Amino acid sequence: MKIVVPEEIIGISAKLMSAGHVSFLVGGSLRDLLIGRAPKDWDVATDARPEEIQKIFPGSVYENEFGTVGVKTGSEDPTLALVEVTTFRKEEQYSDFRHPDSLEFAATIEEDLARRDFTINALALDAKGNIIDPYEGIADIKKKLIRAVGDPNIRFREDALRLMRAVRLASELGFTIEKDTAGAITRNSDLLGKIAAERVRDELIKLIMSGGAKEGMEVLEKLGLLRYVLSELREGINVGQNKHHVYTVWEHNLRALDYAARKNYSLEVRLASLLHDVGKPRVKQGDGPDSTFYAHEIVGAKMTSAMLNRLRFPKKVIDHVTHLVRHHLFYYNVGEVTEAGVRRFLNRVGPENLEDLFKVREADRIGSGVPKAFPYKLRHLEFMIEKVKRDPVSPKMLAIDGNDIMLALHIDPGPRVGWILGVLLEEVLDDPTRNVREKLEARARELSKLDGSKLAGLASSAREHKEEFESGVEEEMKKKYYVK
Ligand code: ATP
Ligand code: MG
């Protein structure tokens, strides 16, 4: 097998050796080269101590406690710009299932390979092109197996993040987890609860962003890890649906994720596809072909937000995914929805979310196993959206704002300003030609004459009216899909 090592790595290796050290290409980069994938990052292992590495590579960065020095290569390839050069380390003592208690350097590459997690990650390539493979990692690459180095039970107890790494690597590489290793994962699955949520999240993100996302989720469940990651999804296991579905809630969610992964959609769209029906088991009524799931998108959105918060996803991601889950169920029928209705729809979901929302809808449709004749309707909705695209659909797009109203009507900040704006927006959604400063100001003057309760009442019915297209959804769904 001919392995092509980039110039940048050869250069680093040459410098280490001319300073009297040894140097090996190790870790995921060597594994990926052997598999024939493009490495995401490059790792070099050496007997040089961090201080020595820094001397050999002026300008390198050493900002951690793991003996890893970041060497800048000036490469234009972003994966090679910073190469991690790490001093050989020993097997360490772990008392918190995650961090070694102390860092001990090792003298040989063999010792260093022994501390690594899986056989396919415990390979080293020397400067002459020889591969050091004490744990038969190459054979496991050929067999497409993830196998722990040494006793899997001990290895997972040392560092419980390896539980997630095993499944994540399996789904990224399309590998299977070897039997004893899989057994040890199940036996130690509860240790995942001891791992910082952020670490679990980062592995979950890699798993979901991989081509084998669906299989990865299935393995998480099969090995008993899912309950510590996204336990609510498990509620859908064995929960049958109605006549519009052939799959259980669980299988349907996974198939939607699979579609989003195959289309190479973003993390947010993949998460929303995976979680879009997570609320269904909690609202299910009846059984068999006529069972219903009213308000599952509302319950599901709450569950989604709770799950992603628990895993410490960034607020922006949580809000976006929750919004997509909340609005995934829009129903549109040609001829039934007016332009004003489409403007209200845009007001509710936000024009900037449309693209992702349509992707989730598509994943839902394909994942149902019985795709309905929706694309035509979707195209028509897109056509309608195009038509009303320039119309005002949000308070920001009104020709006047709260300040204008306060100035023109000489009133102080307070709920009245919000009520007036709400009514104005509702009227503009109905008829965009009203979105002219003078007209809005005159209408605001009229509204301001109303007493508080009258005005508040108008504002709240405006709000309800905005929801109409959506509750229309529910009525339509009941009529068309659920009730005999
Ligand atoms: P990726 O493709 O995500 O970079 P990787 O296997 O390279 O996967 P890294 O986090 O870059 O993962 O780690 C580099 C190497 O360090 C691994 O290949 C493995 O040999 C070793 N390693 C990483 N994490 C652990 C761990 N938790 N326990 C033991 N060895 C580990
Ligand atoms: Mg790596």
Side-chain angles (χ1 to χ4, degrees):
M1 194 177 323
K2 180 98 185 80
I3 307 165
V4 183
V5 178
E7 282 307 316
E8 290 85 345
I9 302 294
I10 295 173
I12 289 174
S13 183
K15 279 196 182 151
L16 284 166
M17 289 194 300
S18 63
H21 297 289
V22 288
S23 158
F24 299 86
L25 181 66
V26 290
S29 43
L30 178 56
R31 173 200 71 215
D32 288 345
L33 283 182
L34 289 166
I35 292 174
R37 299 168 88 231
K40 288 198 295 277
D41 48 42
W42 296 80
D43 298 295
V44 170
T46 177
D47 58 344
R49 295 297 168 97
E51 313 76 55
E52 294 168 320
I53 303 172
Q54 281 176 289
K55 265 190 221 133
I56 299 168
F57 302 99
S60 55
V61 279
Y62 183 42
E63 287 166 348
N64 54 67
E65 296 141 34
F66 318 112
T68 298
V69 178
V71 172
K72 293 177 190 152
T73 62
S75 173
E76 285 181 1
D77 178 343
T79 66
L80 278 161
L82 193 80
V83 173
E84 299 207 327
V85 180
T86 308
T87 310
F88 295 154
R89 278 160 47 186
K90 273 198 174 66
E91 193 44 72
E92 293 106 354
Q93 277 300 308
Y94 294 73
S95 47
D96 65 353
F97 304 105
R98 178 65 194 118
H99 297 103
D101 298 339
S102 65
L103 175 63
E104 252 193 274
F105 295 124
T108 65
I109 183 70
E110 284 77 13
E111 269 180 289
D112 183 82
L113 293 178
R115 69 158 175 99
R116 294 178 182 267
D117 47 8
F118 305 111
T119 61
I120 60 169
N121 287 343
L123 295 158
L125 179 75
D126 73 12
K128 293 196 195 105
N130 302 311
I131 292 182
I132 296 119
D133 177 17
Y135 305 100
E136 298 180 20
I138 291 187
D140 284 341
I141 286 178
K142 290 196 181 123
K143 289 187 257 181
K144 295 183 181 268
L145 279 182
I146 308 284
R147 182 199 308 271
V149 168
D151 180 338
N153 244 319
I154 298 175
R155 304 314 307 279
F156 290 120
R157 297 191 70 78
E158 279 170 2
D159 177 359
L161 189 67
R162 291 171 186 158
L163 299 162
M164 280 299 284
R165 279 180 58 84
V167 184
R168 183 265 286 186
L169 281 166
S171 52
E172 281 185 334
L173 304 175
F175 280 28
T176 310
I177 302 177
E178 177 273 331
K179 209 168 109 284
D180 290 345
T181 301
I185 292 177
T186 305
R187 215 167 307 126
N188 293 292
S189 58
D190 62 315
L191 295 181
L192 203 56
K194 302 196 184 274
I195 295 293
E198 291 84 349
R199 304 276 74 76
V200 174
R201 172 202 65 202
D202 289 346
E203 292 299 324
L204 179 68
I205 290 176
K206 287 183 179 175
L207 184 154
I208 284 181
M209 292 311 289
S210 76
K214 174 179 191 277
E215 293 73 22
M217 294 300 301
E218 285 165 343
V219 176
L220 281 183
E221 168 54 20
K222 191 167 144 242
L223 300 185
L225 296 176
L226 193 61
R227 65 178 72 238
Y228 303 102
V229 185
L230 293 168
S231 60
E232 291 88 335
L233 263 180
R234 306 185 64 245
E235 295 170 21
I237 295 172
N238 294 328
V239 174
Q241 306 202 60
N242 54 36
K243 56 180 165 249
H244 303 285
H245 288 267
V246 292
Y247 302 119
T248 62
V249 173
W250 159 252
E251 180 68 17
H252 169 59
N253 278 328
L254 290 193
R255 284 177 177 262
L257 167 64
D258 189 47
Y259 178 79
R262 279 188 285 120
K263 295 291 273 189
N264 212 7
Y265 287 156
S266 66
L267 174 68
E268 286 89 338
V269 171
R270 292 183 197 211
L271 284 169
S273 300
L274 174 66
L275 300 173
H276 77 280
D277 276 351
V278 71
K280 274 188 168 176
R282 295 194 187 177
V283 300
K284 181 170 179 176
Q285 278 175 25
D287 221 337
D290 295 317
S291 49
T292 64
F293 300 97
Y294 297 134
H296 75 266
E297 72 283 14
I298 297 171
V299 173
K302 284 199 186 118
M303 291 165 74
T304 295
S305 165
M307 293 156 90
L308 299 182
N309 266 300
R310 217 169 49 216
L311 284 167
R312 306 227 193 287
F313 273 87
K315 186 172 180 311
K316 237 182 109 200
V317 174
I318 300 175
D319 290 348
H320 188 45
V321 176
T322 302
H323 189 76
L324 293 173
V325 172
R326 172 65 184 80
H327 294 288
H328 79 269
L329 197 66
F330 65 88
Y331 168 81
Y332 177 81
N333 214 1
V334 177
E336 279 173 22
V337 180
T338 60
E339 287 182 22
V342 175
R343 282 190 290 269
R344 290 198 182 90
F345 171 69
L346 291 179
N347 167 268
R348 210 169 45 248
V349 304
E352 69 282 10
N353 297 314
L354 278 179
E355 202 182 318
D356 281 356
L357 196 59
F358 282 16
K359 288 177 178 168
V360 173
R361 195 74 187 79
E362 185 72 1
D364 181 4
R365 190 176 75 85
I366 303 295
S368 74
V370 279
K372 303 177 194 83
F374 191 71
Y376 154 69
K377 291 184 190 172
L378 199 62
R379 270 199 301 282
H380 195 271
L381 177 56
E382 280 171 331
F383 159 76
M384 290 286 275
I385 287 169
E386 194 60 31
K387 241 168 107 177
V388 306
K389 201 171 68 182
R390 277 176 203 83
D391 295 342
V393 296
S394 73
K396 283 198 304 286
M397 295 163 87
L398 279 180
I400 66 177
D401 64 14
N403 274 326
D404 299 330
I405 289 176
M406 290 188 284
L407 276 175
L409 309 184
H410 306 288
I411 56 173
D412 292 328
R416 291 184 69 87
V417 181
W419 291 334
I420 291 175
L421 276 172
V423 176
L424 292 180
L425 176 62
E426 171 56 22
E427 292 175 353
V428 166
L429 285 170
D430 257 335
D431 176 5
T433 64
R434 293 186 200 184
N435 194 28
V436 179
R437 204 186 161 86
E438 294 70 41
K439 285 192 197 174
L440 294 177
E441 227 175 79
R443 179 65 179 139
R445 234 177 270 284
E446 249 172 66
L447 290 169
S448 76
K449 296 200 189 95
L450 299 174
D451 69 49
S453 67
K454 195 93 192 261
L455 184 56
L458 267 184
S460 92
S461 62
R463 227 182 5 256
E464 279 163 25
H465 198 184
K466 282 211 285 289
E467 307 290 330
E468 205 174 68
F469 178 56
E470 184 169 56
S471 53
V473 172
E474 304 238 318
E475 283 310 308
E476 283 302 325
M477 287 293 212
K478 275 180 215 169
K479 273 205 294 233
K480 293 208 182 236
Y481 294 125
Y482 296 114
V483 178
K484 275 188 270 190

